[in-house]
Amino acid sequence: MGEMKTIVISLGGSVLVPSLESNNIAAYAEMLVRLAERFRVFIVVGGGGEARRYIAAARSLTIDEATSDEIGILVTRLNAAMLIAALGRAAYPAVPASHYEALEAATAGRIVVMGGVTPGQTTDAVSAVLAERAGADLLINATSVDGIYSADPRKFSGAQKLDRLSPEELLAIVQGGRMDAGANNVIDLVAAKIVQRNTIPLLVIDGKHPETIAAALLDGVFAGTLVSRTPEPVLPLE
Ligand code: UTP
């Protein structure tokens, strides 16, 4: 058997913790434990609705954007700590505060779960950089939409879902999005640029049901958007 492939999953807070009371943490933990038998797994958890509520409250105190970002980062780390708790022994027990710490944690051979690291970006960017640093074979963005559209589907009824696109096409779509604290784009600009500068394929997939991710990875069955430089099939990841 060859070496285990490495995957980095950007797990949107809106997917994992739509709200604290109705969260997907247990279902995700169960699926991730299974994935970790086959792959080296890194998870970057987003802030979701709770982060946006904190950021809105911070703004109303006339706090600057970067400080609001820091508050958002703390919420992503809180969500990461919740997922780590649910994963139990399958996860490295602490939330790495940098990519370096995440790589160090990975040497323990367990699932590594982190949140944000620095203002001015989102956890999408964190996950894209982590994918580069970990030499990942695939980056997955598990989000609350079912893929990348030619335009924002909430604003343009004619927007079309794209099954497959190149990193350059992704960048063209993402440019023009907003980037203030709590901004909600399908993927952030920094992440799109990083995807464009390396050869790691990106799968953008609806993360509402964790099984969707397992089916994509293990069976190659998926309905999201695949961003890759070459037309070769990426999934299933063997
Ligand atoms: P998220 O990555 O969750 O952004 O970070 P999001 O767009 O809300 O994603 P979903 O909805 O969870 O999928 C939440 C906020 O935390 C700050 C930003 O303000 C971001 O909007 N943040 C996060 C940073 O400033 N730096 C980071 O590295 C990560």
Side-chain angles (χ1 to χ4, degrees):
M1 212 173 103
E3 186 139 308
M4 270 191 174
K5 294 245 163 108
T6 299
I7 54 173
V8 175
I9 305 178
S10 177
L11 195 51
S14 48
V15 159
L16 186 69
V17 195
S19 77
L20 207 42
E21 292 72 24
S22 72
N23 67 70
N24 260 325
I25 295 173
Y28 260 99
E30 193 269 320
M31 185 277 286
L32 292 172
V33 166
R34 267 186 290 132
L35 277 194
E37 288 168 13
R38 298 275 299 272
F39 308 108
R40 218 171 136 229
V41 180
F42 292 87
I43 310 291
V44 183
V45 177
E50 296 300 323
R52 264 184 282 278
R53 286 173 60 208
Y54 269 95
I55 287 166
R59 272 211 193 101
S60 68
L61 299 171
T62 65
I63 287 173
D64 63 274
E65 285 296 299
T67 305
S68 301
D69 280 340
E70 297 280 10
I71 288 166
I73 290 169
L74 291 174
V75 180
T76 65
R77 291 179 178 169
L78 193 55
N79 289 339
M82 291 287 282
L83 181 58
I84 288 171
L87 285 165
R89 281 192 53 78
Y92 184 80
V95 180
S98 67
H99 296 97
Y100 166 76
E101 284 182 18
L103 295 176
E104 201 173 39
T107 63
R110 299 188 189 182
I111 301 171
V112 174
V113 186
M114 69 187 296
V117 294
T118 192
Q121 59 175 33
T122 75
T123 47
D124 294 340
V126 177
S127 67
V129 171
L130 187 58
E132 271 192 350
R133 295 218 57 194
D137 298 283
L138 178 66
L139 171 62
I140 298 179
N141 193 306
T143 176
S144 52
V145 294
D146 61 354
I148 295 172
Y149 284 72
S150 53
D152 187 340
R154 290 163 301 190
K155 293 183 199 141
F156 302 95
S157 57
Q160 288 185 342
K161 197 180 111 190
L162 306 163
D163 293 329
R164 189 136 193 173
L165 65 164
S166 69
E168 287 70 27
E169 289 165 330
L170 171 71
L171 196 53
I173 289 168
V174 170
Q175 272 164 352
R178 291 170 58 83
M179 219 188 83
D180 44 1
N184 198 6
N185 302 314
V186 65
I187 184 164
D188 83 13
L189 182 59
V190 180
K193 287 193 166 173
I194 291 166
V195 166
Q196 198 242 333
R197 76 181 187 180
N198 63 43
T199 56
I200 304 165
L202 162 71
L203 173 65
V204 178
I205 191 167
D206 185 342
K208 266 194 292 299
H209 305 290
E211 281 317 309
T212 311
I213 296 173
L217 279 166
L218 303 171
D219 309 324
V221 178
F222 65 98
T225 299
L226 191 61
V227 180
S228 71
R229 202 164 284 291
T230 58
E232 280 120 55
V234 173
L235 295 158
L237 195 68
E238 250 124 22

